[in-house]
Amino acid sequence: RQRDRTVGVHIHIPVLFQNGHGSADAGFGKAQLFSHIDSPNEGAILREDIDGFQIHLARLVNCHRNLQKTGVLLIITQASDKRHFFLSTKSIAILEMASLDILNALGVGDRVVGTASTRLEYLQDYINDEIANLGTIKEADLEAVMACEPDVIFISGRLSSSYDALSEIAPVVFLATDTELGIVESVRRNAATIASMFGLEDQVDELMAGFDARIQALQAVSEGQAAIVGMYTSGSFNVLGNDGRCSIIGVEAGFENIGVDANIDTSTHGNEASFEFLVEKAPDYIFVMDRDAAIGTDSAQLAQDIMENELVMGNEAYKNGHLVYLAHPAVWYTAEGGITALDLMLQDLENDLLG
């Protein structure tokens, strides 16, 4: 609840603390409660221990200075039932595309003052001379971010090493997808979080309408079907499990993902597998995400040129037309977690699986 637009807030929200000086650090474990903040000048903070809050993202660095500078108190919790409280966010810096996707869907993209570069066609309206170029989703231009004077900065895990530096400029929000929760539900929760910043919570249900039914339609096809999900990169095929990219195929669409049982770390770029592995496992489906195409690697061979070799073409998945190339690799690789991104990802599956 905002008591004074320029002075401070009265707020009740859980946040993970590592010290008693107003700095909260993202992580998991025992949380404490920001039970009362009257104003940045008074700085009355009462803390109360609370167990059981699994905080995916929560950090307020030097809360008094940030409140004085922007009038924004930004604390996010993902896993608890406590909701999110935000105040004025008139200028937004974007360093990750899923949040920009959601902001665009909510109709508040006009508040974006700077963004990282992107190849995504549906976000090209934000790549222009009037919106500052803030670098890339992997490397922020800190001077450009500072120059655009944002009230809030959105980042992804790719910029975790820049968290402290960015937090010196403005409060930082990191909204992640949770593969155990599922991509659809993660998008729903993240959209609700962002919508709450602008009082637009009532739009979320409409924006998410239809996704659950589309997942159910895919599940009807996937029942009893085993799949290998992989990422093609630099001539190699890396197997992906249900703990990272493309997890929607196994977690929600319902395919039995062979990569889950491969006893390998598959959470980031997957684990390189030989084509003999594909023959040995004999999946019903093979899904391929072309990372080189996603990031525009110069002179890279097309995934299809490498994948369709003698070994793979002898597999029943290929013979049955079940070798699926995900048509929007840049979305799967750089923007998973956005509303438009989710729509396109489901389209990629639907076009091959549902005809």
Side-chain angles (χ1 to χ4, degrees), residues 148-200:
C148 72
E149 298 184 337
D151 290 331
V152 59
I153 304 167
F154 286 87
I155 71 167
S156 71
R158 291 179 173 93
L159 280 173
S160 58
S161 63
S162 299
Y163 200 118
D164 290 337
L166 290 166
S167 296
E168 289 297 314
I169 300 171
V172 174
V173 177
F174 164 42
L175 290 172
T177 55
D178 183 335
T179 56
E180 292 186 6
L181 183 66
I183 300 302
V184 174
E185 191 59 32
S186 292
V187 173
R188 194 189 320 275
R189 290 197 178 190
N190 290 348
T193 295
I194 294 175
S196 71
M197 299 171 68
F198 307 97
L200 299 174

Side-chain angles (χ1 to χ4, degrees), residues 88 140 208-209 310:
S88 110
M208 295 298 297
E310 184 176 352

Side-chain angles (χ1 to χ4, degrees), residues 65-80:
R65 175 179 56 77
N66 281 339
L67 280 166
Q68 286 176 308
K69 177 176 183 293
T70 68
V72 177
L73 178 60
L74 219 57
I75 303 176
I76 313 291
T77 66
Q78 178 102 343
S80 77

Side-chain angles (χ1 to χ4, degrees), residues 247-259:
S247 63
I248 192 173
I249 295 171
V251 174
E252 286 149 292
F255 285 90
E256 179 190 347
N257 188 348
I258 291 173

Side-chain angles (χ1 to χ4, degrees), residues 281-333:
K281 296 300 181 181
D284 300 298
Y285 283 83
I286 301 171
F287 294 91
V288 181
M289 189 262 285
D290 188 343
R291 178 179 178 270
D292 291 341
I295 63 175
T297 302
D298 292 335
S299 304
Q301 289 182 283
L302 295 175
Q304 188 171 355
D305 293 341
I306 300 299
M307 293 299 303
E308 296 186 14
N309 56 57
E310 184 176 352
L311 288 173
V312 174
M313 292 171 68
N315 191 286
E316 290 300 310
Y318 178 84
K319 293 178 180 178
N320 293 330
H322 294 169
L323 176 56
V324 178
Y325 298 98
L326 302 173
H328 295 89
V331 174
W332 290 80
Y333 188 69

Side-chain angles (χ1 to χ4, degrees), residues 194 261 344:
I194 294 175
D261 300 320
L344 292 171

Side-chain angles (χ1 to χ4, degrees), residues 19 26 51 85 94 103 174 180 186 206 251 255 266 280 308:
N19 61 53
D51 291 316
F85 296 79
I94 294 290
L103 289 164
F174 164 42
E180 292 186 6
S186 292
E206 181 179 353
V251 174
F255 285 90
T266 59
E280 175 191 347
E308 296 186 14

